[in-house]
Amino acid sequence: MTAILDISDLRTGGIDTVIVAGVDMYGKLFGKRIPVRLFQGIVDEGLHVCTCVYGWDFAQNMDNLKVEFAGGHTGWHDFRLVPDLATLRRAAWLEGTAICLADSIDEESGEPLPVAPRTILRRQVEALGAEQLTAYTATELEFHLYNGTPDELRRNGYRDLDPTTLIRSDYAIGAGNAMEPFFRKVRNALEQSGIPVEVAQAEYGLGQWEINLEYADAIETADRHVLFKSAVIDMARAHGMTATFMPRPLTDGMGSSCHIHASVRGVDGSTPFHDAAAERTASAALRHAVAGVLERASDLMLFYAPTVNAMRRIISNDFAGNGLTWGFDNRTTTCRLITGDPNSNRLEMRLPGADVNPYLATAAVLGSMRDGMARQIDPGPPCLGDAYAEPHGELPVTLGDAARNLDQSTFAASTFDKAVVGHYATVARDEWLQFLRSVSDWDRDRYFETI
């Protein structure tokens, strides 16, 4: 990867602040701001950060969540956040600011923290590299955009939400024109930050939008993904709006996805997923990769659906796939194949929602692809027509089931390290138990008078 900025560019580029940011278990940025004049001095050693960022839940609650990696039993020790200068770029949506993503490094061993999402994905990229393959990916992110700032919406209990479109507007140019003053700023800020936009559009759900980024190597794509989310959320707030990447913000609304496109190329420039003599040019290697992704989907569902809300999208008919299905250019399947151009042959994993941690979900896709290719397994016949018309193998439908499957999976333990999968399974189980303990409006509406 080529750096968007060089350290020498910082002072001359009108930048006075650098954000040094890591990525937590949930795909959110954490870190510190540092004056430009001090950035050079921390490049090698990094910044000290408490391990609590990998030891608490979504709400930064660490009272009930008990993990071996961090806690009172470790003294809540530090790790180091070491900048990856290949990611240094202008954060054009913020005034006078650059951002540099960083790797989480153990204080004692000097090795990358195994539980850090960037570490998890890098190890899968390296495993493919050992087989002379490079992974290329892209993520398609949908989100809902509501009028009102996050603070205003929270104070109102997220009731009576006011979406930025009031009618179905999928692909509608008119709806896009109405919001163009905002989205033009978003696209320009992304471009100026080294996050190249491919296309943008209004989506089907009320207040729903989609922006797709150009494909890149797997780690760069995940890096762009988290920066994109941060930029959209920040810019929406600055314009009196709230962007949410919840997979299903409303019971009767449309789900927001994060389809992951994945392909591999040989280091010699070859295209293993293309075979001009095969049906629709899908090579044996591509079919094996699809089979691996589908076979391991149940084990790795937690990486594709990391929240209680994510499951609400998956059990719907919101084009989130249905069981162990695949097909050519078929949006009702879990794995959709896009074929034709030798350089573009790829699979599209449609299970993940917009809340996904891109490093973990991409690592799951790549690890499963590699497994399927190594064992040369077959996915069976492609699905023709509507994959929702009948069941096609069960996948977990609750966060608790997904956590159990990950924790008990010998494949996950050998591919991602047993301690790592145990860590994420523990976090998910705690989230599931918190949900089960919580009494909601649904409970009261359904049972208060009638039971």
Side-chain angles (χ1 to χ4, degrees):
M1 295 181 290
T2 302
I4 306 303
L5 288 176
D6 187 85
I7 290 181
S8 61
D9 297 329
L10 292 178
R11 293 202 179 198
T12 59
I15 293 170
D16 53 55
T17 301
V18 180
I19 298 172
V20 179
V23 180
D24 70 9
M25 294 184 290
Y26 314 109
K28 298 188 296 183
L29 296 178
F30 68 87
K32 300 181 180 182
R33 284 174 164 82
I34 188 168
V36 164
R37 62 182 174 81
L38 297 178
F39 181 65
Q40 175 75 66
I42 62 94
V43 165
D44 293 329
E45 290 300 315
L47 298 171
H48 295 276
V49 176
C50 177
T51 46
C52 62
V53 299
Y54 293 119
W56 56 30
D57 65 12
F58 281 95
Q60 297 193 356
N61 183 341
M62 46 194 174
D63 295 334
N64 299 315
L65 180 55
K66 306 299 181 184
V67 293
E68 291 185 14
F69 170 73
H73 59 287
T74 71
W76 291 110
H77 60 300
D78 277 354
F79 67 93
R80 287 184 294 119
L81 205 54
V82 178
D84 178 353
L85 292 182
T87 72
L88 179 63
R89 67 191 77 207
R90 183 183 298 276
W93 65 96
L94 300 172
E95 183 179 358
T97 302
I99 189 165
C100 189
L101 296 179
D103 289 308
S104 299
I105 304 297
D106 185 84
E107 284 272 25
E108 295 185 4
S109 69
E111 295 296 319
L113 289 184
V115 300
R118 235 170 163 250
T119 304
I120 293 169
L121 176 55
R122 181 172 285 112
R123 287 180 173 171
Q124 294 309 307
V125 169
E126 289 171 348
L128 283 168
E131 298 174 8
Q132 303 300 299
L133 295 172
T134 300
Y136 291 91
T137 60
T139 56
E140 297 181 12
L141 266 173
E142 297 170 340
F143 58 95
H144 284 77
L145 187 64
Y146 294 100
N147 292 305
T149 66
D151 288 347
E152 291 169 345
L153 269 55
R154 177 174 284 275
R155 291 191 184 103
N156 198 39
Y158 303 105
R159 297 179 184 276
D160 303 318
L161 295 173
D162 180 16
T164 47
T165 56
L166 297 177
I167 60 173
R168 305 296 185 196
S169 302
D170 200 6
Y171 297 111
I173 297 300
N177 290 345
M179 290 296 296
E180 181 61 5
F182 170 71
F183 280 109
R184 181 172 181 269
K185 291 179 182 178
V186 171
R187 294 195 309 273
N188 287 341
L190 293 171
E191 291 280 343
Q192 293 162 15
S193 305
I195 307 170
V197 173
E198 185 175 70
V199 295
Q201 68 173 78
E203 259 292 346
Y204 186 79
L206 302 189
Q208 190 178 40
W209 302 86
E210 180 174 352
I211 298 178
N212 297 341
L213 307 178
E214 291 184 3
Y215 80 92
D217 68 76
I219 295 175
E220 174 68 9
T221 290
D223 289 346
R224 292 176 182 177
H225 177 120
V226 294
L227 292 170
F228 163 81
K229 285 183 68 172
S230 184
V232 169
I233 291 169
D234 289 348
M235 294 186 72
R237 181 189 293 112
H239 286 78
M241 296 181 288
T242 298
T244 178
F245 289 84
M246 281 182 68
R248 182 175 281 280
L250 297 172
T251 300
D252 56 355
M254 192 70 180
S256 288
S257 67
C258 174
H259 302 148
I260 298 177
H261 295 249
S263 65
V264 295
R265 294 181 195 166
V267 294
D268 58 358
S270 59
T271 53
F273 282 0
H274 179 267
D275 180 354
E279 180 189 359
R280 286 191 167 184
T281 74
S283 69
L286 177 51
R287 291 171 181 261
H288 298 328
V290 168
V293 169
L294 292 177
E295 183 176 307
R296 302 304 186 182
S298 184
D299 287 5
L300 304 180
M301 181 62 86
L302 184 61
F303 287 170
Y304 299 133
T307 65
V308 172
N309 188 257
M311 293 299 183
R312 305 198 195 286
R313 170 183 165 273
I314 285 177
I315 62 176
S316 73
N317 289 344
D318 288 357
F319 299 100
N322 180 39
L324 308 183
T325 56
W326 71 281
F328 293 98
D329 193 18
N330 188 334
R331 286 182 170 83
T332 69
T333 61
T334 295
C335 256
R336 172 182 174 232
L337 267 61
I338 298 98
T339 59
D341 184 334
N343 292 312
S344 300
N345 272 23
R346 62 193 185 276
L347 65 83
E348 177 190 49
M349 178 53 159
R350 298 178 63 81
L351 279 180
D355 62 340
V356 78
N357 183 324
Y359 301 89
L360 302 181
T362 303
V365 170
L366 298 185
S368 301
M369 285 170 45
R370 187 166 58 86
D371 175 60
M373 290 187 288
R375 293 190 292 128
Q376 297 187 350
I377 56 178
D378 186 80
C383 182
L384 304 176
D386 185 3
Y388 287 107
E390 57 185 58
H392 293 279
E394 291 188 5
L395 292 171
V397 295
T398 72
L399 191 65
D401 290 340
R404 183 197 64 239
N405 284 14
L406 182 71
D407 202 26
Q408 295 179 355
S409 169
T410 55
F411 167 74
S414 62
T415 303
F416 304 105
D417 185 85
K418 185 173 179 57
V420 169
V421 299
H423 182 86
Y424 280 89
T426 298
V427 171
R429 275 196 298 270
D430 178 76
E431 184 78 4
W432 178 240
L433 288 174
Q434 287 194 52
F435 168 74
L436 291 178
R437 295 187 191 107
S438 299
V439 178
S440 68
D441 288 345
W442 186 91
D443 293 74
R444 284 182 286 272
D445 290 342
R446 193 155 184 99
Y447 302 126
F448 200 91
E449 298 176 63
T450 58
I451 199 165

